[in-house]
């Protein structure tokens, strides 16, 4: 099935061919509901919820808000989209998946591992499965497993990122994959999104600019830092996660570390994410040391999601 056929089920509900990227500790109920109501696929990592029970609460509230929007506006909202971490380290995977199957999502993104174990049950409830990949080899494996689409993590994406040039990556994948392709990395406005469509993509990921919105869960200092920063302030390092990760240099400085003198790979004594047992006097990655992509250069202020989407839509149309 071609990518256009796969997207036909909800394509007329999108104001833009765009996904508000799932971001750890940033994407929450307000962001997802506002994105969907604005005609953009709103995604979030299920692990942003502390428990599977809380995940159920989130899904219930997101659906209530979307239903209220649809009733008031007379228009259908874009789909909400959970992001499942399918790596064996996610002890909640089975429980989260069971809950999602009850809620019958239209789209699901899988990350950090093979999507194969979750594809069949998600397809059984009608979900379109996208897998994020950062190399040709991983793209080939995910395609062979039967995913409906691939999220190509390219150089410039925030957080744990890819390293391939987006032009080369997309064109290489299009040689063997006719499913949905989503470009992640450096999409800062509607012109860049239009370029991604010309390149052969079906959807784009936009993450960094959604951090600097009124609805995101990000710390106010984080949002302010993004407004002041440019792409020159993004540092690609393995020091905090052991994997290539794009981080904000000013947040590293604020944590009392020298961004130009970091260990090569995962050697910093920091609190791991938001672990309860972490020493309180240590900065925590993601909580205190923040990530962003190259598109931080396009952030001029903290705005409502509706305003961000409207501006991006105008840019996208003007670039046709």
């Amino acid at each position: 099935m071609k990518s256009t056929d796969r997207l036909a089920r909800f394509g007329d509900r999108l104001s833009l061919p765009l996904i508000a990227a799932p971001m750890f500790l940033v994407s929450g109920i307000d962001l997802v509901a506002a994105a969907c109501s604005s005609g953009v696929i709103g995604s979030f990592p299920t692990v942003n919820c502390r428990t599977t029970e809380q995940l159920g609460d989130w899904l219930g509230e997101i659906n209530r808000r979307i239903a209220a929007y649809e009733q008031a506006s007379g228009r259908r909202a874009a789909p909400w989209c959970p992001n499942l971490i399918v790596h064996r380290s996610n002890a909640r995977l089975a429980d989260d998946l069971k809950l999602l199957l009850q809620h019958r999502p239209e789209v699901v993104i899988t990350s950090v591992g093979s999507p194969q174990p979750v594809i069949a049950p998600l397809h059984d409830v009608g979900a379109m499965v996208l897998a994020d990949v950062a190399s040709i080899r991983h793209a080939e494996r995910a395609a062979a497993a039967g995913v409906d689409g691939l999220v190509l993590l390219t150089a410039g994406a925030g957080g744990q990122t890819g390293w391939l040039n987006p032009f080369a990556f997309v064109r290489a994948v299009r040689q063997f994959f006719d499913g949905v392709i989503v470009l992640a990395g450096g999409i800062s406005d509607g012109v860049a999104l239009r370029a991604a469509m010309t390149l052969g993509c079906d959807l784009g990921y936009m993450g960094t600019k959604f951090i600097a919105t009124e609805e995101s869960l990000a710390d106010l200092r984080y949002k302010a830092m993004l407004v002041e920063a440019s792409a020159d302030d993004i540092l690609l390092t393995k020091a905090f996660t052991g994997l290539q990760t794009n981080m904000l240099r000013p947040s590293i400085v604020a944590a009392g570390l020298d961004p130009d003198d970091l260990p090569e790979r995962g050697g910093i004594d920091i609190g791991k994410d938001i672990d309860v047992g972490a020493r309180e006097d240590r900065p925590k990655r993601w909580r205190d040391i923040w990530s962003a992509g190259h598109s931080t250069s396009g952030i001029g202020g903290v705005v409502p999601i509706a305003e961000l989407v409207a501006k991006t839509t105008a840019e996208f149309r003007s670039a046709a």
Side-chain angles (χ1 to χ4, degrees):
M1 184 185 297
K2 292 184 178 180
S3 58
T4 51
D5 298 327
R6 290 188 170 94
L7 292 176
R9 69 182 82 172
F10 52 75
D12 61 346
R13 291 154 54 193
L14 302 181
S15 58
L16 281 171
L18 188 66
I19 299 174
M23 295 173 286
F24 186 51
L25 301 183
V26 170
S27 305
I29 293 171
D30 292 346
L31 189 154
V32 173
C36 295
S37 299
S38 297
V40 168
I41 297 171
S43 68
F44 68 101
T46 62
V47 293
N48 275 2
C49 303
R50 290 188 175 275
T51 64
T52 300
E53 182 180 7
Q54 186 183 43
L55 174 61
D57 294 339
W58 276 35
L59 294 177
E61 180 62 20
I62 289 169
N63 280 323
R64 280 191 290 273
R65 293 193 190 185
I66 288 175
Y69 161 78
E70 291 181 338
Q71 184 175 13
S73 67
R75 295 190 293 269
R76 295 286 312 280
W80 51 266
C81 173
N83 172 212
L84 272 176
I85 306 301
V86 293
H87 192 267
R88 60 182 177 274
S89 62
N90 181 9
R92 278 175 37 196
L93 175 59
D95 290 338
D96 284 1
L97 175 61
K98 182 179 179 180
L99 180 68
L100 291 180
L101 296 177
Q102 295 171 6
H103 284 266
R104 306 178 72 88
E106 295 179 84
V107 193
V108 174
I109 299 166
T110 66
S111 299
V112 199
S114 172
Q116 189 164 19
V118 304
I119 292 174
L122 287 170
H123 279 172
D124 285 345
V125 297
M128 184 173 74
V129 181
L130 309 177
D132 65 16
V133 295
S135 70
I136 301 296
R137 180 168 60 91
H138 289 147
E140 290 172 338
R141 288 181 175 180
V147 298
D148 304 291
L150 299 170
V151 179
L152 307 188
L153 301 177
T154 70
Q160 292 180 345
T161 186
W163 52 89
L164 291 176
N165 176 284
F167 292 94
F169 200 1
V170 173
R171 298 315 303 161
V173 170
R174 265 295 176 234
Q175 291 181 25
F176 62 84
F177 186 67
D178 66 356
V180 174
I181 288 183
V182 187
L183 180 60
I187 296 181
S188 61
D189 58 21
V191 177
L193 183 60
R194 177 68 70 181
M197 301 303 104
T198 302
L199 193 58
C201 299
D202 303 284
L203 296 164
Y205 246 31
M206 184 180 283
T208 301
K209 292 191 79 170
F210 277 94
I211 302 173
T213 59
E214 293 179 358
E215 293 89 349
S216 91
L217 294 173
D219 188 293
L220 293 177
R221 296 169 299 159
Y222 187 0
K223 297 179 184 182
M225 189 175 289
L226 284 172
V227 173
E228 296 298 322
S230 75
D232 288 345
D233 293 303
I234 304 303
L235 176 67
L236 183 64
T237 177
K238 295 181 180 179
F240 300 103
T241 69
L243 299 173
Q244 295 275 22
T245 307
N246 275 324
M247 294 293 200
L248 273 166
R249 293 175 67 97
S251 72
I252 298 172
V253 173
L257 301 170
D258 182 355
D260 295 318
D261 187 26
L262 297 174
E264 182 176 344
R265 186 184 180 93
I268 294 180
D269 182 28
I270 60 173
K272 295 183 181 298
D273 305 334
I274 54 172
D275 290 352
V276 174
R279 278 205 341 249
E280 290 304 317
D281 61 341
R282 292 185 295 173
K284 300 178 182 66
R285 64 189 179 195
W286 313 124
R287 179 72 78 183
D288 302 302
I289 300 172
W290 298 315
S291 68
H294 292 175
S295 58
T296 188
S297 283
I299 297 174
V302 178
V303 298
I305 283 176
E307 182 178 326
L308 171 60
V309 173
K311 183 174 185 293
T312 306
T313 301
E315 295 163 345
F316 183 76
R317 291 173 177 169
S318 68

